[in-house]
Amino acid sequence: TSAARASGVWKVYGSGEAQVVALRGVDVELERGRFTAIMGPSGSGKSTLMHCLAGLDSVSRGQVFVGDTGVTGLSDAGLARLRREKIGFIFQQFNLLPTLTAQENILLPLAIAGRKPDQDWFKTVIDTVGLGDRLGHRPNQLSGGQQQRVACARALVSRPEVVFADEPTGNLDSRSGAEVLGFLRRSVTEYGQTIVMVTHDAVAASYADRVIFLADGQIVAELTGPTPERVL
Ligand code: ADP
Ligand code: ADP
């Protein structure tokens, strides 16, 4: 099965005069172990598509699956559980808790889920994130790029079925952005993580294996690289 899938997805916001059709019958299948970028003009439906795939937003028509779990029709509790157990999120604003250290932020999703970290995997993530002795620092003692790498490590530490990243480099200079993208790329190439990233930035999209272009709520073009060798 795929990591996530949308089938005939429509999304309509509001009603009557104020109605906005944000997605018009989107079909997309996200294979495991690939890095997909979603691009398109502002208002084309990128965030809506990501939110529907991630169970953050309900669809008006059609179906969404994460792994083999049907998202459409899940209760709020079921959606919360799906997000906790199968999905990692990375946002433009890093959304770290200011009173916790980098390491505590990274471990927080596992703590909330009452799960113990897999020590080997935790060490791998920590090594890959490249924070060195800054793991004990609080977010305000870290640069933007370091904070975003902490947020990436937090998204990856539970080995989710899929990680959704919404403009992860939108607040970073190009050098910090490249560090974050390199980290995400390695998590795909070396560890088989599945990542879906919304971006405006063609350089960011160049790290992906596949780029999907949205316009006016529909997929209008797609670029696919060679199928990468799977590690896991
Ligand atoms: P993008 O991420 O490509 O900029 P969005 O998915 O945010 O696009 O928005 C797609 C369309 O849906 C836009 O016309 C936007 O104004 C509209 N939209 C998004 N969210 C809402 C909402 N909560 N209520 C009403 N309209 C919305
Ligand atoms: P390292 O030097 O540790 O391999 P980088 O962070 O430079 O790591 O790159 C990580 C991964 O991202 C590598 O697989 C590399 O091929 C890829 N990569 C680096 N720069 C780019 C780029 N501009 N576009 C696409 N992929 C890139």
Side-chain angles (χ1 to χ4, degrees), residues 178 182-183 185-186 189 206-207:
F183 177 56
R185 179 68 252 174
R186 284 193 298 278
T189 307
S206 77
Y207 284 76

